Amino acid sequence: MTSQKSVQTMKPATAAKKLGVYLPATPAQFQEGVVSRAELDALQADPPQWLRDLRRDGPHPRPVVAAKLGVSIAGLARGGVTEALTTEQVEALKEQSPEWLRRERATQAEVRKEAARLKERRAAEARPAR
C-alpha cells in the first residue's frame, strides 16, 4: 500500500501575505486560484515581473507599510493610515514627517529598547552562577 503525498495548497490571501504583497493588486489569475507550496516557493525563488513590480512600487499591505515607516500596524491606524500605500506615498510620508509618525516612531523605539532589555535580563538569569 502506497500513500500519495497530498499537495499542500493555500488561499491566495495567505500566499499574498507570505509574499508580502497586497492581494487586490495581484493579477486576477493569482487572486482566483489556489497556490501550492511548490508554486509559492517558485514565486519566492524566481519572482515574475508582476511580483517584482508590486514589491518595488506597491501598493503595499499595512504590515509592509508599517515596517517601511518604522512603526507598528496599530500606530498606522492611530495615524489614520488604513489603506495600502504605494512606495511613493510611503516616501512622501517620510519626507513630511507628520507629528503622528514622529510619535509612533518614538513609541516603537521604546518598545524595541524594552524588548532588548528584557531579553538581556532573561539571558543573565539563565546564566549559571559561579
Side-chain angles (χ1 to χ4, degrees), residues 74-130:
L76 276 182
R78 286 190 292 270
V81 178
T82 57
E83 298 298 318
L85 299 179
T86 64
T87 300
E88 189 176 301
Q89 291 170 313
V90 170
E91 292 304 318
L93 263 177
K94 285 180 180 179
E95 286 177 25
Q96 294 165 2
S97 191
E99 174 57 34
W100 71 265
L101 182 56
R102 291 192 301 274
R103 184 176 56 249
E104 291 300 333
R105 282 180 165 170
T107 299
Q108 193 69 7
E110 286 298 318
V111 168
R112 285 189 203 107
K113 196 161 101 176
E114 179 64 8
R117 185 188 71 77
L118 291 173
K119 182 179 177 182
E120 177 60 32
R121 185 171 131 198
R122 283 191 293 272
E125 290 172 353
R127 287 187 208 116
R130 292 186 179 188

Side-chain angles (χ1 to χ4, degrees), residues 9-112:
T9 60
M10 61 192 82
K11 294 178 183 176
T14 303
K17 188 174 186 177
K18 289 180 180 287
L19 292 169
V21 296
Y22 186 56
L23 180 61
T26 61
Q29 181 181 356
F30 182 85
Q31 293 179 40
E32 295 164 1
V34 293
V35 180
S36 71
R37 176 71 61 192
E39 290 169 329
L40 179 70
D41 292 344
L43 286 170
Q44 289 173 324
D46 185 22
Q49 189 62 46
W50 67 263
L51 182 53
R52 289 193 300 268
D53 292 345
L54 272 179
R55 286 178 169 169
R56 184 185 62 242
D57 302 325
H60 304 289
R62 288 183 304 137
V64 174
V65 172
K68 286 178 177 278
L69 292 174
V71 299
S72 67
I73 296 171
L76 276 182
R78 286 190 292 270
V81 178
T82 57
E83 298 298 318
L85 299 179
T86 64
T87 300
E88 189 176 301
Q89 291 170 313
V90 170
E91 292 304 318
L93 263 177
K94 285 180 180 179
E95 286 177 25
Q96 294 165 2
S97 191
E99 174 57 34
W100 71 265
L101 182 56
R102 291 192 301 274
R103 184 176 56 249
E104 291 300 333
R105 282 180 165 170
T107 299
Q108 193 69 7
E110 286 298 318
V111 168
R112 285 189 203 107

